[in-house]
Amino acid sequence: FGFEVEPTIALRLLPQQSQIYRIETVRISPQSLDMLDQYTVDFQASMRLLPGDRNDASITSVKWDLDLSVWVRLPRVITMLPDQLVQSSGDHLLRQIVRQISRRLTWKVQEDFHAAHGLQCPKRRRAAF
């Protein structure tokens, strides 16, 4: 719609329990962010590390469960646009947020996992999207 929102959120990675990592939103104080009244993000996630199958035990899979709420204050002019256009733009915004957060957090947990086990972390590959 001709303007950009770069969501800034603070997340807390809780201590893992039984190979499950939980991540939650940390509330940001109003003084620390000028755009606080423009959007709100509530992020509640859990990530499980799943061991590989019998054929290849060296592979570990990651399974994400995410409960994400995003509230964005839009200019009044947006109400004049077709509902379908507003909906598809909102869906695109959510996909972008989930994609960015998922990649970054998966990599961070992978680095921590390898470091905790004294293993060399593989090189980071950039996503094609």
Side-chain angles (χ1 to χ4, degrees), residues 25-77:
T25 304
V26 176
R27 298 289 172 213
I28 300 173
S29 67
Q31 297 83 15
S32 66
L33 190 59
D34 292 337
M35 295 289 291
L36 192 61
D37 65 338
Q38 299 300 313
Y39 65 88
T40 302
V41 177
D42 184 23
F43 184 96
Q44 304 293 322
S46 66
M47 184 185 76
R48 280 185 286 266
L49 300 177
L50 305 171
D53 60 22
R54 287 179 273 199
N55 297 329
D56 192 354
S58 67
I59 294 176
T60 300
S61 299
V62 176
K63 181 175 191 288
W64 278 101
D65 291 313
L66 174 61
D67 182 6
L68 176 68
S69 298
V70 178
W71 176 87
V72 178
R73 181 184 306 259
L74 299 172
R76 282 196 184 271
V77 70

Side-chain angles (χ1 to χ4, degrees), residues 59-117:
I59 294 176
T60 300
S61 299
V62 176
K63 181 175 191 288
W64 278 101
D65 291 313
L66 174 61
D67 182 6
L68 176 68
S69 298
V70 178
W71 176 87
V72 178
R73 181 184 306 259
L74 299 172
R76 282 196 184 271
V77 70
I78 299 299
T79 61
M80 296 172 19
L81 297 172
D83 289 345
Q84 184 60 34
L85 178 60
V86 175
Q87 179 70 44
S88 65
S89 296
D91 291 345
H92 177 74
L93 175 65
L94 285 175
R95 279 192 305 274
Q96 186 175 358
I97 291 169
V98 170
R99 184 181 304 135
Q100 289 175 0
I101 290 172
S102 179
R103 271 199 330 254
R104 291 174 185 164
L105 291 177
T106 299
W107 178 252
K108 177 63 178 151
V109 171
Q110 183 179 358
E111 285 179 322
D112 291 350
F113 176 82
H114 281 79
H117 291 86

Side-chain angles (χ1 to χ4, degrees), residues 3-19:
F3 68 97
E4 290 187 32
V5 175
E6 181 65 33
T8 302
I9 59 173
L11 300 176
R12 176 183 302 128
L13 177 61
L14 302 173
Q16 68 98 5
Q17 294 179 336
S18 303
Q19 301 292 18

